[in-house]
Amino acid sequence: MAASANIFNKDDIILINDITCKIIKLIGHGKGGYSYLATDGKTKVVIKKIHHEPCSYYNFGDKIQSELNDYNTLFNIGIRIPKMIDCDLNKEIIIKEYIKGDVISDLIKEKKDISKYINQLREFLPILYNSNINIDYYPTNFVVNSINDLIYYIDYECNTYDSKWDFDNWGIKYWNGEEAIN
């Protein structure tokens, strides 16, 4: 099983409700949780384990409930996101569909042309803004699906719209290289 309450190791076996998953590797760590590539025995999935590490620039309420609410909001308005397969509220773990492909931040670091992906993201903006929503436009939150060449927002975080944090006032700076990506 897991080495600690928040961090899993390669080959750990985790039971989420009725689904048994084996951890393959850590794929990301954000302000809300750790994300791991895993397998349920049939297919690859992403396991997100909520953490409670301090974040100086963001205040959270109930993180796992926020993830569920945000998923439902984004799904219902039609934003391309990975399907949520299951959620264990007590363990604060989510199983998501795995979207195989390149992360936008890696393409930016490799100085690849991402203009078509910026255009795809811009197609999301009227939907989001008309719904009074911002998402986290940081490039690590977007994957280009290797099957259909479409971008997916792989984080579920969304907030009430504020022009200070919209794509053109904040996100584009990272997508066009004005701001460095960690």
Side-chain angles (χ1 to χ4, degrees), residues 84-100:
M84 183 182 294
I85 297 167
D86 207 342
C87 177
D88 186 318
L89 291 171
N90 293 325
K91 292 180 184 176
E92 297 185 304
I93 297 174
I94 293 171
I95 306 175
K96 298 180 182 184
E97 171 187 21
Y98 172 62
I99 307 294
K100 183 180 178 185

Side-chain angles (χ1 to χ4, degrees), residues 41-53:
K42 299 176 206 145
T43 186
K44 289 181 181 175
V45 295
V46 172
I47 302 291
K48 182 171 184 179
K49 172 66 175 116
I50 300 299
H51 67 63
H52 296 283
E53 299 166 4

Side-chain angles (χ1 to χ4, degrees), residues 3 18 77 128 165 178:
D18 294 329
I77 65 171
L128 291 163
W165 301 109
E178 287 177 50

Side-chain angles (χ1 to χ4, degrees), residues 109-141:
K109 289 175 185 176
E110 295 166 8
K111 306 221 183 293
K112 301 274 175 101
D113 179 11
I114 62 161
S115 57
K116 68 180 174 180
Y117 306 122
I118 291 173
N119 290 337
Q120 285 184 33
L121 179 55
R122 288 195 179 285
E123 292 172 8
F124 289 174
L125 299 182
I127 298 166
L128 291 163
Y129 298 168
N130 288 334
S131 299
N132 199 35
I133 294 172
N134 270 338
I135 57 176
D136 185 347
Y137 297 103
Y138 198 68
T140 56
N141 292 322

Side-chain angles (χ1 to χ4, degrees), residues 49-87:
K49 172 66 175 116
I50 300 299
H51 67 63
H52 296 283
E53 299 166 4
C55 182
S56 62
Y57 58 90
Y58 197 88
N59 291 319
F60 291 98
D62 181 339
K63 285 185 183 182
I64 192 71
Q65 192 60 55
S66 291
E67 289 273 337
L68 290 171
N69 294 344
D70 291 349
Y71 170 80
N72 286 322
T73 297
L74 295 172
F75 179 82
N76 288 332
I77 65 171
I79 300 301
R80 270 191 309 274
I81 54 176
K83 178 183 171 198
M84 183 182 294
I85 297 167
D86 207 342
C87 177

Side-chain angles (χ1 to χ4, degrees), residues 142-156:
F142 296 85
V143 168
V144 178
N145 186 318
S146 61
I147 296 169
N148 60 19
D149 205 36
L150 296 174
I151 61 168
Y152 284 71
Y153 178 53
I154 57 171
D155 194 358
Y156 295 152

